[in-house]
């Protein structure tokens, strides 16, 4: 209303002034001043108000990420595809733009190429600002450039230049913006606030260019010159993070402390998070726990900080987590979640911290659930999202193999006990089980009893209200509630007593409604039960209400206690779970079954060792699994890889003595293996993985073409982790997928391609993976073993990967055979089936009959005597076996 009155008053004043000017024959001068005055105090006034209102709304709704470097200016980025829809949601900016356009179109006085209205430069600047906040940066830049072109001597020149460079930064022209601002600072003398704004803009440009040291210098100057306390607090908080990212913890701590010292001059959000970030900078081992906890508790106790309890409890939980008090940390992390607001980054941090605690406690199922929750609050397709998603995928394997290893190992240990030990073991377990079942039964009875009492009270209240015709509940006659003293001595609170009823008379009437209390049998029975519940079983006597008489009551009470005890222990002894035979009957009965359990357990230990080492970098756990495996007589194929992984683990831990021990064992015990070749320097892994990601990829691809799949398999995952974030990673993932096809078959190949498509959809490799999924994979999946006659046959000799000596002998015999039978024109090769198996093959045999004859010849002839079993397979079926990894299925086909 006041604004409307002001508008009318100013308008009236303008008209009167205009008429007065006309009367003095200064019409032209009067018209110019009238237009300028009307523009300034009418159109632009309302336009600037709308702009400020829009900015205030933007600041209010903007969600800062206090866990990373904040932007200098809060700016709500809009999806360009939805720009038109989003514009409609900012009516204040729309109104400001309308006002600026109106002032330009209706108040401009461009006469002979000269603008006579001095307010037009401000109108164009307002137009540029509104377009800037609407993310229409090119039109905004045009508006600012127009001011610089048309009004080179205007008093708004510096502001137009600053806003032009802000717009250039939004257009990712940071270098141009910095050049122009440096030139401007040398040429022009600014007011302190404008000087601060200019340096803040330059700091943002340096942040975008990842020149954090330069950004910090500019921001220090902005802090010194700004007059706005909110800006100063924000700049100090950003400075703290900039120094933190440069690992300059002392400077970061000083910046956060300056912000803390502002107290109420700083917005509460910056002040609280400065406390939190300052704590996270410290080494928990060097913190004075008494002082630190006193400060943390004081922050939590202040009711003004209740909006930030999520961050404050996270800070406290972090401390306990860092000093190893996992139980206290879990409680505080969960408390932080109770107070969670809209801070998705903090919520993700809390869930991930809880997941890691449970993972370290080997509670993998619970850890998986918390990792799932973490994923919900992370931005998709980010590095953090992919890392957690991969952890969840790996955790599923951990849960699977830990279950197999734990279950099988337990069964094996029990089976190895003597009969007496086994009997004692299960008897002790049954005693614990009975106690658990009795406790559960007790809790269920108590819950049932509470529900019955609640139902009885509701019935009693309903009947009493009906009898009394009112809302008050009739009390038991002559039974006031116990005193505080009685309650503390063991009595329970009595039922509520009606204040309006001191007699036992009730309203008259027939039936249940209007009956005297003791005439209603239902109420009497409920009353008796309620009395016993509250007071216990007591006989009448002097001062019978005091609880000490309760212990001296009759044998009836003792009988009641026995009955309660009986109910507590009243479990069904006939339950088969309470019988030792129930468990012993389920144990394996033969050595063959135990051997099968041992094989599965050992393989699970091997897989867990790999997962902990490669996926989670949990070297201690990986080492434990590999040692457990080697101490339990594993299959031969698992021995050498386990020894090599132990060597790598100790090498990564810096334990040179243990690393050399395992290295020497591998070279001495398996001198012909590929692992020995790597360790003896014949193939140097470090030479393959160059520090340049492109050279590293080139070397890996070369080794892949040479057929060194074991080496590539060992190093490709290392390369992916080493160069994470680089554009070479999609190429490495595609190479890994191709290697997976060679070693694991079409199903694993399909999964690897799907991973590429999901995580790198815009990369050329992601698009290539999508194409392979649509074309190559369906063809591979359609392949099947055939029984029809083929035109070409092979003889396959299967060997384990570490049987290098046996392979060497076999190849020498086959070379001798091929030299003697050159007329057959056969060829040999060594193919990799998977990481554990290799195949020596004779090719180009014309018939199945000839192939079988050659197998017999190589086995029985004295000059050859091949010990390995030769398997005859058609060329077509061999392709299927390699593509779908169906070698075992081919050797042992299902019976029809």
């Amino acid at each position: 209303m006041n604004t409307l009155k002001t508008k009318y008053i100013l308008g009236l004043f303008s008209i009167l002034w205009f008429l007065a000017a006309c009367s003095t024959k200064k019409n032209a001068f009067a018209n110019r001043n009238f237009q300028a005055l009307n523009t300034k105090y009418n159109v632009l006034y309302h336009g600037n108000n709308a702009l400020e209102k829009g900015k205030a709304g933007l600041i209010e709704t903007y969600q800062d990420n206090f866990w990373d470097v904040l932007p200098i200016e809060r700016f709500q980025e809009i999806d360009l595809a939805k720009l038109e829809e989003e514009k409609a949601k900012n009516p204040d900016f729309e109104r400001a733009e309308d006002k600026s356009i109106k002032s330009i179109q209706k108040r401009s006085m461009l006469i002979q190429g000269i603008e006579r209205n001095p307010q037009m430069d401000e109108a164009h600047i307002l137009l540029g600002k509104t377009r800037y906040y609407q993310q229409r940066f090119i039109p905004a830049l045009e508006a600012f450039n127009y001011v610089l072109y048309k009004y080179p001597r205007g008093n708004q020149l510096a502001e137009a230049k600053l806003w032009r460079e802000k717009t250039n930064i939004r257009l990712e022209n940071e270098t141009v913006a910095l050049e122009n601002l440096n030139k401007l600072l040398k040429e022009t003398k600014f007011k302190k606030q404008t000087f601060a704004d200019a340096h803040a803009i330059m700091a943002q440009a340096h942040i975008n260019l990842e020149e954090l040291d330069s950004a910090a210098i500019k921001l220090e100057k902005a802090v010194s010159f700004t007059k706005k306390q909110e800006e100063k607090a924000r700049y100090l908080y950003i400075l703290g993070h900039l120094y933190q990212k440069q690992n300059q913890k002392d400077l970061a701590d000083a910046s956060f402390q300056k912000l803390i010292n502002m107290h109420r001059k700083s917005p509460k959000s910056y002040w609280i998070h400065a406390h939190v970030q300052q704590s996270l900078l410290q080494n928990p081992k060097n913190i004075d726990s008494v002082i630190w906890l006193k400060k943390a508790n004081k922050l939590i106790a202040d009711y003004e900080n209740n909006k930030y309890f999520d961050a404050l409890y996270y800070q406290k939980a972090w401390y306990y987590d860092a000093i190893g008090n996992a139980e206290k940390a879990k409680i505080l992390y969960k408390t932080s979640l109770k107070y969670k607001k809209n801070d998705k980054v903090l919520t993700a941090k809390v869930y991930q911290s809880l997941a890691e605690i449970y993972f370290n406690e080997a509670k993998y199922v619970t850890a998986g659930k918390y990792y799932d929750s973490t994923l919900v609050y992370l931005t998709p397709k980010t590095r953090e999202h992919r890392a957690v998603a991969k952890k969840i995928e790996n955790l599923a394997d951990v849960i699977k193999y830990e279950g197999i290893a734990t279950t099988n190992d337990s069964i094996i240990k029990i089976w190895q006990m003597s009969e007496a030990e086994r009997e004692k073991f299960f008897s002790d377990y049954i005693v614990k089980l009975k106690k658990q079942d009795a406790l559960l039964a007790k809790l269920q009875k108590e819950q049932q009893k509470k529900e019955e009492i609640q139902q009885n009270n509701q019935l009693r209240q309903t009947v009493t209200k009906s009898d009394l015709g009112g809302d008050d509940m009739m009390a038991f006659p002559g039974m006031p509630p116990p005193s505080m003293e009685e309650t503390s001595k063991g009595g329970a609170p009595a039922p509520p007593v009606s204040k309006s009823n001191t007699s036992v008379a009730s309203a008259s009437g027939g039936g249940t409604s209007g009956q005297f209390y003791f005439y209603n049998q239902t109420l009497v029975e409920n009353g008796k039960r309620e009395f016993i519940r509250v007071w216990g079983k007591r006989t009448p006597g002097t001062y019978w209400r005091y609880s000490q008489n309760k212990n001296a009551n009759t044998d009836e009470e003792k009988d009641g206690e026995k009955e309660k005890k009986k109910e507590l222990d009243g479990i069904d002894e006939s339950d088969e779970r309470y019988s030792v035979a129930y468990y012993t009957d389920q144990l394996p009965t033969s050595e063959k079954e135990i051997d099968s359990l041992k094989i599965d357990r050992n393989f699970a230990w091997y897989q867990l060792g790999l997962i902990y080492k490669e996926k989670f970098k949990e070297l201690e756990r990986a080492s434990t699994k590999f040692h457990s495996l080697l101490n339990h007589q594993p299959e031969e194929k698992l021995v050498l890889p386990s020894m090599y992984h132990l060597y790598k683990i100790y090498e990564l831990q810096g334990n040179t003595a243990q690393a050399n021990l395992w290295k020497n064992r591998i070279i001495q015990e398996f001198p012909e293996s590929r692992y020995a070749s790597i360790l003896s320097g014949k193939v140097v892994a470090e030479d393959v993985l160059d520090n340049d990601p492109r050279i590293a990829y080139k070397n890996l691809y070369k080794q892949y073409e040479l057929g060194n799949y074991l080496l590539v398999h060992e190093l490709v995952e290392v390369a992916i982790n080493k160069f994470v974030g680089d554009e070479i990673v999609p190429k490495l993932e595609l190479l890994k997928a191709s290697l997976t096809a060679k070693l694991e078959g079409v199903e694993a190949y399909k999964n690897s391609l799907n991973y590429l498509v999901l995580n790198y959809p815009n990369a050329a490799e992601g698009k290539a993976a999508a194409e392979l999924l649509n074309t190559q994979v369906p063809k591979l999946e359609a392949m099947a073993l055939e029984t029809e006659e083929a035109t070409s046959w092979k003889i396959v000799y299967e060997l384990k990967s570490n049987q290098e000596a046996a392979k060497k002998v076999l190849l020498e015999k086959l070379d001798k055979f091929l030299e003697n039978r050159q007329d057959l024109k056969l060829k040999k090769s060594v193919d990799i089936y998977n990481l554990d198996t290799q195949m020596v093959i004779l090719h180009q045999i014309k018939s199945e009959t000839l192939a079988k004859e050659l197998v017999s010849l190589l086995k029985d002839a004295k000059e050859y005597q091949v010990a390995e079993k030769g398997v005859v397979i058609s060329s077509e079926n061999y392709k299927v076996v390699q593509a779908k990894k169906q070698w075992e299925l081919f050797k042992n086909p299902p019976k029809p």
Side-chain angles (χ1 to χ4, degrees):
M1 192 67 184
N2 292 333
T3 305
L4 190 61
K5 287 181 179 180
T6 303
K7 178 179 177 181
Y8 284 131
I9 292 170
L10 289 173
L12 181 61
F13 173 77
S14 301
I15 294 170
L16 292 174
W17 184 86
F18 173 72
L19 293 174
C22 289
S23 64
T24 56
K25 299 182 180 181
K26 296 180 180 179
N27 297 344
F29 175 77
N31 186 43
R32 292 173 194 172
N33 281 276
F34 169 78
Q35 295 293 350
L37 192 66
N38 201 306
T39 303
K40 181 176 181 179
Y41 291 107
N42 187 355
V43 188
L44 287 184
Y45 171 79
H46 292 294
N48 282 316
N49 281 349
L51 178 66
E52 292 300 321
K53 187 178 177 182
K55 287 168 64 178
L58 183 64
I59 291 172
E60 187 177 344
T61 57
Y62 185 81
Q63 283 291 326
D64 275 315
N65 177 13
F66 287 100
W67 307 95
D68 202 354
V69 178
L70 297 177
I72 298 295
E73 178 187 36
R74 279 165 287 201
F75 192 86
Q76 193 70 48
E77 294 189 3
I78 305 168
D79 186 355
L80 295 178
K82 300 179 180 179
L83 185 59
E84 293 301 322
E85 297 177 17
E86 294 291 339
K87 274 173 58 182
K89 296 179 183 178
N90 293 280
D92 295 313
F93 292 141
E94 288 287 313
R95 177 176 169 78
E97 184 179 18
D98 291 340
K99 291 295 181 183
S100 62
I101 292 172
K102 182 178 179 181
S103 62
I104 293 169
Q105 291 178 342
K106 294 190 176 182
R107 303 300 177 186
S108 177
M109 298 182 68
L110 192 62
I111 302 172
Q112 295 180 350
I114 300 174
E115 180 58 64
R116 303 296 180 178
N117 187 341
Q119 299 297 321
M120 283 301 101
D121 55 349
E122 291 189 18
H124 281 91
I125 288 175
L126 177 61
L127 178 63
K129 288 178 181 179
T130 57
R131 289 173 174 175
Y132 174 87
Y133 284 112
Q134 292 172 336
Q135 291 193 31
R136 296 157 58 204
F137 299 122
I138 299 299
L141 200 61
E142 291 176 355
F144 297 132
N145 283 329
Y146 185 83
V147 175
L148 299 177
Y149 169 70
K150 277 292 183 180
Y151 310 102
R153 297 180 182 177
N155 58 359
Q156 302 296 323
L157 197 65
E159 186 178 8
K161 288 182 177 180
L162 288 178
W163 276 91
R164 181 185 66 177
E165 305 320 324
K166 283 178 71 173
T167 309
N168 272 325
I169 291 172
R170 293 293 176 188
L171 291 169
E172 299 182 2
N173 296 326
E174 288 89 356
T175 306
V176 174
L178 288 170
E179 289 177 1
N180 292 338
L181 285 170
N182 281 320
K183 185 178 179 182
L184 180 64
L185 289 171
K186 292 176 182 178
E187 295 175 351
T188 311
K189 290 184 178 180
F190 293 108
K191 295 179 181 179
K192 286 187 176 182
Q193 184 58 50
T194 309
F195 191 77
D197 293 342
H199 279 89
I201 295 169
M202 296 177 75
Q204 185 64 67
H206 285 300
I207 291 172
N208 292 355
L209 294 171
E210 298 185 358
E211 298 169 353
L212 303 185
D213 51 346
S214 300
I217 294 171
K218 296 298 181 184
L219 208 54
E220 288 278 11
K221 292 184 178 179
V223 169
S224 302
F225 287 96
T226 185
K227 295 181 179 179
K228 300 176 181 178
Q229 296 297 329
E230 193 274 341
E231 276 188 4
K232 184 178 181 180
R234 188 175 183 87
Y235 294 166
L236 283 170
Y237 191 81
I238 296 170
L239 261 177
H241 268 294
L242 289 176
Y243 287 131
Q244 189 176 354
K245 281 189 173 290
Q246 297 174 72
N247 204 27
Q248 299 178 10
K249 293 186 177 181
D250 291 339
L251 290 174
D253 182 80
S255 297
F256 289 130
Q257 189 59 49
K258 287 179 184 177
L259 172 53
I260 292 168
N261 292 340
M262 290 178 68
H263 298 291
R264 292 186 179 275
K265 293 180 181 179
S266 164
K268 184 68 76 173
S269 57
Y270 300 130
W271 190 78
I272 290 291
H273 284 92
H275 277 288
V276 175
Q277 293 299 329
Q278 192 179 49
S279 296
L280 298 180
L281 284 172
Q282 301 178 54
N283 185 345
K285 296 179 181 178
N286 300 330
I287 291 177
D288 186 329
S289 59
V290 176
I291 297 174
W292 191 90
L293 287 172
K294 183 178 179 181
K295 178 184 174 183
N297 291 330
K298 184 178 178 181
L299 288 170
I300 292 172
D302 189 347
Y303 74 94
E304 291 185 355
N305 301 335
N306 58 4
K307 290 184 179 179
Y308 307 99
F309 277 171
D310 52 349
L312 293 174
Y313 276 109
Y314 171 77
Q315 170 192 239
K316 198 172 175 182
W318 164 85
Y319 171 73
Y320 282 108
D321 194 4
I323 64 174
N325 192 338
E327 291 304 317
K328 189 74 172 176
K330 284 192 288 188
I331 293 170
L332 290 167
Y333 279 133
K334 290 175 183 178
T335 306
S336 174
L337 290 175
K338 289 180 182 178
Y339 293 102
K340 67 180 180 181
K341 305 294 183 184
N342 296 322
D343 193 340
K344 291 186 176 181
V345 177
L346 174 58
T347 306
K349 283 178 176 290
V350 175
Y351 277 123
Q352 189 165 3
S353 299
L354 283 167
E356 288 169 359
I357 289 174
Y358 283 112
F359 180 84
N360 292 332
E361 293 176 348
K363 296 177 181 177
Y364 302 111
V365 176
T366 307
K369 292 177 181 177
Y370 278 108
Y371 276 127
D372 286 336
S373 298
T374 304
L375 213 58
V376 173
Y377 292 94
L378 291 175
T379 306
K381 298 182 181 179
T382 59
R383 180 177 178 179
E384 293 79 8
H385 189 277
R386 286 197 293 269
V388 174
K390 206 164 188 178
K391 273 189 176 181
I392 293 171
E393 181 182 342
N394 296 333
L395 200 58
D397 291 334
V398 170
I399 294 169
K400 172 187 172 183
Y401 289 117
E402 283 285 2
I404 294 172
T406 304
T407 303
N408 288 13
D409 194 46
S410 298
I411 294 172
I412 292 167
K413 286 179 179 177
I414 294 171
W415 190 83
Q416 291 172 343
M417 292 178 181
S418 66
E419 190 172 344
E421 289 174 334
R422 205 177 298 162
E423 180 85 18
K424 185 178 181 304
F425 175 82
F426 285 121
S427 297
D428 293 342
Y429 171 76
I430 289 169
V431 170
K432 293 179 182 178
L433 182 63
K434 285 181 178 180
K435 289 180 179 179
Q436 291 176 358
D437 289 351
L439 178 61
L440 180 61
K442 179 183 176 183
L443 293 173
Q444 289 175 344
K445 284 182 180 180
E446 288 178 354
Q447 181 63 29
Q448 185 179 359
K449 192 173 182 180
K450 286 179 182 178
E451 292 174 358
E452 288 177 358
I453 291 170
Q454 187 177 4
Q455 291 174 359
N456 290 336
N457 286 339
Q458 289 174 353
L459 175 62
R460 173 183 163 195
Q461 186 175 2
T462 303
V463 175
T464 305
K465 284 183 179 181
S466 176
D467 291 343
L468 296 175
D471 292 331
D472 290 334
M473 183 185 292
M474 172 84 69
F476 297 132
M479 192 185 71
S483 63
M484 290 294 292
E485 180 185 1
E486 293 163 353
T487 303
S488 64
K489 290 180 180 178
V497 180
S498 171
K499 294 180 181 179
S500 61
N501 225 7
T502 56
S503 71
V504 295
S506 64
S508 62
T512 58
S513 178
Q515 284 185 343
F516 179 58
Y517 176 85
F518 291 106
Y519 290 170
N520 190 324
Q521 193 61 32
T522 302
L523 285 179
V524 170
E525 292 300 323
N526 290 341
K528 286 180 180 179
R529 284 195 293 268
E530 186 71 7
F531 183 91
I532 293 171
R533 183 185 72 83
V534 175
W535 301 99
K537 292 185 178 182
R538 303 189 184 191
T539 56
T542 307
Y543 304 114
W544 64 274
R545 292 178 62 230
Y546 285 111
S547 59
Q548 60 263 31
N549 287 331
K550 183 178 178 181
N551 296 327
N553 275 336
T554 61
D555 293 337
E556 186 178 355
E557 184 176 352
K558 294 180 180 179
D559 293 338
E561 290 176 358
K562 289 180 180 178
E563 187 178 347
K564 288 182 180 178
K565 187 176 181 181
K566 184 178 179 181
E567 289 177 357
L568 181 64
D569 297 333
I571 55 175
D572 185 5
E573 291 289 349
S574 63
D575 191 332
E576 61 179 2
R577 295 179 302 123
Y578 304 149
S579 168
V580 172
Y582 173 74
Y583 301 100
T584 55
D585 290 346
Q586 297 182 53
L587 290 174
T589 56
S590 66
E591 289 282 353
K592 186 176 181 181
E593 290 177 282
I594 290 296
D595 289 340
S596 177
L597 290 174
K598 287 180 179 179
I599 290 171
D600 291 342
R601 178 200 60 187
N602 292 344
F603 182 72
W605 274 338
Y606 178 74
Q607 290 297 327
L608 287 168
L610 283 180
I611 293 169
Y612 287 135
K613 173 178 174 280
E614 302 293 345
K615 307 297 184 181
F616 292 110
K617 309 304 178 187
E618 294 279 346
L619 300 182
E620 283 298 328
R621 291 190 182 202
S623 174
T624 302
K625 297 301 178 184
F626 286 127
H627 277 296
S628 297
L629 173 63
L630 293 174
N631 291 336
H632 286 80
Q633 300 177 345
E635 291 179 277
E636 186 181 354
K637 67 179 182 180
L638 299 179
V639 174
L640 181 55
S642 299
M643 293 171 67
Y644 180 76
H645 288 303
L646 280 171
Y647 158 73
K648 296 298 292 183
I649 287 169
Y650 287 121
E651 186 181 47
L652 290 169
Q653 290 178 330
N655 191 339
T656 308
Q658 283 293 324
N660 289 335
L661 174 66
W662 289 104
K663 176 181 177 180
N664 294 332
R665 280 192 62 182
I666 292 170
I667 294 174
Q668 292 170 9
E669 296 177 22
F670 306 94
E672 300 297 327
S673 67
R674 297 194 183 194
Y675 291 108
S677 299
I678 294 172
L679 295 176
S680 60
K682 295 177 184 177
V683 179
V684 183
E686 287 73 13
D687 292 343
V688 177
L689 275 190
D690 193 272
N691 287 327
D692 187 319
R694 280 133 202 88
I695 295 176
Y697 171 76
K698 184 178 178 181
N699 291 343
L700 280 172
Y701 191 77
K702 183 178 179 180
Q703 294 296 326
Y704 173 79
E705 289 183 319
L706 292 172
N708 293 327
Y709 300 138
L710 181 64
L711 178 65
V712 178
H713 178 267
E714 175 72 22
L715 296 179
V716 69
E717 189 69 34
V718 177
I720 290 170
N721 294 328
K722 182 178 181 179
F723 303 123
V724 64
D726 193 275
E727 61 184 12
I728 203 67
V729 171
K731 290 183 179 294
L732 290 167
E733 289 284 1
L734 188 58
L735 176 61
K736 181 182 173 182
S738 301
L739 184 65
T740 302
K742 294 278 188 183
L743 299 177
E744 299 179 40
V746 65
E747 283 302 317
Y749 179 49
K750 183 179 179 180
N751 293 334
S752 297
L753 292 177
N754 275 320
Y755 178 82
L756 259 170
V757 172
L758 289 172
N759 290 281
Y760 307 99
N762 297 321
E765 291 75 19
K767 294 174 182 177
E771 181 67 22
L772 290 170
L773 282 169
N774 293 328
T775 56
Q776 186 185 44
V777 171
K779 292 178 181 178
L780 292 173
E781 289 179 325
M783 296 174 70
L785 295 171
E786 300 289 345
T787 56
E788 297 178 1
E789 291 190 10
T791 57
S792 180
W793 297 81
K794 302 177 188 292
I795 299 173
V796 178
Y797 294 97
E798 179 186 353
L799 296 169
K800 297 300 179 185
S801 296
N802 56 354
Q803 291 180 305
E804 295 296 325
K807 183 178 76 171
K808 184 178 180 182
V809 173
L810 176 61
L811 288 174
E812 289 174 355
K813 292 178 179 179
L814 292 179
D815 285 337
K816 186 177 181 181
F817 170 75
L818 293 175
E819 186 177 354
N820 294 338
R821 297 299 304 269
Q822 293 183 15
D823 57 306
L824 295 175
K825 297 181 180 180
L826 305 181
K827 293 183 179 180
K828 77 173 191 317
S829 70
V830 179
D831 293 353
I832 299 295
Y833 180 72
N834 56 33
L835 286 174
D836 301 320
T837 306
Q838 55 186 334
M839 295 176 169
V840 178
I841 304 171
L842 282 177
H843 301 273
Q844 298 182 352
I845 303 173
K846 294 181 179 180
S847 68
E848 183 179 11
T849 303
L850 178 59
K852 290 179 179 179
E853 290 175 356
L854 293 177
V855 169
S856 299
L857 175 65
L858 288 166
K859 179 182 178 182
D860 300 331
K862 291 183 180 180
E863 53 186 324
Y864 307 123
Q865 291 186 336
V866 174
E868 290 77 16
K869 181 182 178 182
V871 179
V872 176
I873 186 173
S874 67
S875 298
E876 289 77 9
N877 281 343
Y878 181 74
K879 291 178 182 178
V880 177
V881 163
Q882 281 285 18
K884 305 185 82 170
K885 301 303 172 188
Q886 293 182 343
W887 180 238
E888 293 299 324
L889 179 64
F890 174 79
K891 291 192 298 180
N892 304 295
K895 295 180 180 180

